[in-house]
Amino acid sequence: MMNGMNMQQMVKQAKEMQKKMMAEHEELAKQQFVGQAPDGMVTATFTGDNKLVDLKIKPEAVDPDDIDMLSDLVLAAVNDGMKKVNDATQSTLGKYTRGLGM
């Protein structure tokens, strides 16, 4: 059985860990991640909190006779950007959830 002092210490450590996690989350949200389609024809820029803030399409990617290709390029860039955000989030914040069975 834990005495009151150990419980207070655990609560204090949990609060400190929560503060660190929130600070790291805020720093991550300030970062930008750029996803690219093949050949850089389309780029999608995200913030670390998964907001799409910019989408650039090179003129040569636009072919009125092949709109499906442009759609595929946009999807590739967006998915690449989201993967980069998710990887950074897992790398930065995953240490707080490892071993918790989540």
Side-chain angles (χ1 to χ4, degrees), residues 82-93:
M82 289 176 65
K83 180 181 181 327
K84 288 177 179 176
V85 172
N86 289 335
D87 289 349
T89 300
Q90 183 65 353
S91 175
T92 301
L93 302 177

Side-chain angles (χ1 to χ4, degrees), residues 55-74:
L55 183 67
K56 291 189 172 137
I57 301 171
K58 289 187 176 181
E60 57 268 26
V62 181
D63 179 353
D65 295 326
D66 194 0
I67 296 301
D68 289 337
M69 181 189 73
L70 179 58
S71 295
D72 289 344
L73 291 171
V74 170

Side-chain angles (χ1 to χ4, degrees), residues 8 14 22 26-27 31 34-37 41 55 57-58 60 67 70 78-79 83 88 90 96 99:
Q8 286 177 339
M22 292 303 293
E26 288 174 13
E27 279 301 311
Q31 294 180 32
V34 179
Q36 291 190 349
M41 298 292 275
L55 183 67
I57 301 171
K58 289 187 176 181
E60 57 268 26
I67 296 301
L70 179 58
V78 168
N79 287 331
K83 180 181 181 327
Q90 183 65 353
Y96 296 105

Side-chain angles (χ1 to χ4, degrees), residues 17 20-21 24 89-100:
M17 186 171 68
K20 287 180 185 176
M21 187 172 94
E24 288 185 30
T89 300
Q90 183 65 353
S91 175
T92 301
L93 302 177
K95 61 187 166 205
Y96 296 105
T97 59
R98 278 189 203 107
L100 294 179

